[in-house]
Amino acid sequence: MVDVVSGSPTVLITGGAGYIGSHAAHAFIDKGWSVVIVDDLSTGSRSRVPEAAAFIEMDCADPQLSAIIRDRAIDAAVHFAARIKVDESVADPLGYYKANVCTARAFFENAHLAGLGAIVFSSTAAVYGDAGGAAVSEESATRPESPYGRSKLAAEWILADLCAVSPMRHVILRYFNVAGADPEGRSGPAAGSQHLLKIAAEAAVGIRPAMQIHGTDYPTADGTCVRDYVHVTDLAEAHVSAVTHLLGGGGSLVANVGYGHGASVRAVIAEALRLADRPFAVTEGPRRAGDPVSVVANPARAMDVLGWRPRHDNLQAMLQSGMAWERQRMAGEVSSA
Ligand code: UDP
């Protein structure tokens, strides 16, 4: 057991040059942990790696990583490295299974061979599929509807099966709709992301003159889809909670990361218009294929067992931090990656 209060544990973060991984790296560093980032920069950006982190440009499936884990006395790993776009996964299933299943399996093997005892795995609410609108608990059925969701669930199974026959313990975090940027402006969403909060933040700062609502005839209060948007800074904190749980001797578990309530597309856009530097046009379009009506987490386990305490449960804060990041990008102050 590692004393995470008085000691300074070292955490390995794969995919730490990406959106969520870089926020997690900052969260660990802010708490005084040592961070080693492994990223092949296939989708991540070197500019997102915090200065205080050690950086190794490497595919996390590379067998050499096992010796690195041992030599650097890594206490725990967080595995973010993955591909994350649902539509892309439909078009390129082999690429997605390679990145999200084969590479994950190889990384888990590297960790296992190094004798690592604690892994946190970055998973997604997409493993549940359409839960029919009820708040989703970890016991809800897993019915992923895309190669992306299936690839993440397959990797969850590999990790759980490995931990069943080894001293390794794991926390699987299933993220709901991740949004926003670091309040200190150190990282933010990737360029080209098509998620609602990112598009709304871009419209609100004038990067795009208009945005569209994908479907207004859903059986919700205002006819648009509902999602549980979670601030990336709170999500990053959930990883610190998960690693702390494992290093404190806690058992393996799966935990949802969301706030337990949702916002509709119209509510998000109304807030973005309220905050906008100048008005932008909003058009109403048809439904987007495959969109479930409502996806909301039951986050009780993350709070009760992991001790996760979200502090940014606020649509305004998510949009404002996202807008600040877009302004930095427009001003060329941060890499456009
Ligand atoms: N959405 C929208 N307009 C946009 C982008 C997204 O109406 O420009 C809707 C989308 O159809 C879905 C919700 O916003 O109902 C959340 O979409 P997002 O892609 O952010 O997350 P998802 O839940 O699909 O992973």
Side-chain angles (χ1 to χ4, degrees):
M1 205 182 292
V2 177
D3 183 349
V4 292
V5 178
S6 59
S8 173
T10 302
V11 63
L12 176 84
I13 297 182
T14 75
Y19 170 44
I20 304 172
S22 60
H23 283 85
H26 282 296
F28 282 105
I29 290 166
D30 290 348
K31 292 208 157 41
W33 296 52
S34 298
V35 168
V36 177
I37 288 176
V38 172
D39 197 303
D40 66 1
L41 301 183
S42 56
T43 56
S45 163
R46 182 73 177 83
S47 63
R48 286 175 190 274
V49 173
E51 266 175 37
F55 177 64
I56 301 168
E57 186 175 342
M58 180 186 255
D59 180 342
C60 58
D62 188 328
Q64 290 184 62
L65 186 53
S66 199
I68 292 173
I69 292 171
R70 249 194 323 267
D71 294 348
R72 292 196 178 237
I74 301 293
D75 295 298
V78 187
H79 182 54
F80 289 99
R83 293 175 69 184
I84 57 163
K85 293 185 178 153
V86 172
D87 53 349
E88 203 177 68
S89 79
V90 174
D92 181 19
L94 291 180
Y96 267 69
Y97 284 111
K98 182 168 185 224
N100 294 357
V101 181
C102 303
T103 297
R105 194 216 69 89
F107 174 69
F108 298 151
E109 183 168 40
N110 283 335
H112 173 60
L113 292 175
L116 191 69
I119 290 194
V120 174
F121 178 63
S122 166
S123 191
T124 167
V127 300
Y128 296 115
D130 191 344
V136 177
S137 84
E138 295 81 359
E139 270 68 48
S140 299
T142 46
R143 292 192 207 94
E145 290 171 10
S146 65
Y148 168 64
R150 285 188 279 276
S151 68
K152 283 301 205 173
L153 186 57
E156 287 191 10
W157 289 339
I158 295 170
L159 181 57
D161 287 344
L162 170 61
C163 291
V165 293
S166 74
M168 185 186 283
R169 283 164 299 116
H170 68 275
V171 170
I172 290 164
L173 294 178
R174 291 179 178 158
Y175 313 157
F176 283 64
N177 286 60
V178 187
D182 177 38
E184 292 176 39
R186 298 171 298 183
S187 189
S193 158
Q194 297 294 310
H195 289 302
L196 179 66
L197 269 281
K198 164 83 171 162
I199 302 263
E202 288 175 354
V205 300
I207 292 178
R208 50 174 83 228
M211 64 180 296
Q212 187 173 76
I213 303 176
H214 301 322
T216 54
D217 60 347
Y218 286 97
T220 58
D222 66 15
T224 65
C225 290
V226 169
R227 296 288 182 275
D228 190 338
Y229 296 97
V230 56
H231 196 301
V232 65
T233 300
D234 279 336
L235 177 62
E237 285 295 329
H239 296 80
V240 179
S241 301
V243 172
T244 303
H245 164 84
L246 290 173
L247 295 186
S252 295
L253 60 88
V254 179
N256 289 335
V257 189
Y259 293 134
H261 56 84
S264 70
V265 175
R266 282 197 202 280
V268 169
I269 294 177
E271 186 64 10
L273 279 167
R274 196 178 69 79
L275 299 170
D277 300 335
R278 62 189 74 86
F280 56 88
V282 180
T283 57
E284 298 188 358
R287 290 184 177 197
R288 194 175 68 176
D291 271 346
V293 179
S294 172
V295 184
V296 176
N298 174 345
R301 189 179 291 168
M303 292 178 178
D304 298 346
V305 182
L306 298 181
W308 178 55
R309 294 286 174 271
R311 291 176 298 125
H312 304 271
D313 177 0
N314 181 321
L315 206 49
Q316 178 179 334
M318 288 183 245
L319 279 164
Q320 280 177 324
S321 60
M323 289 167 64
W325 177 252
E326 299 307 333
R327 288 195 194 95
Q328 282 192 78
R329 289 200 323 128
M330 279 197 293
E333 289 162 15
V334 293
S335 150
S336 61

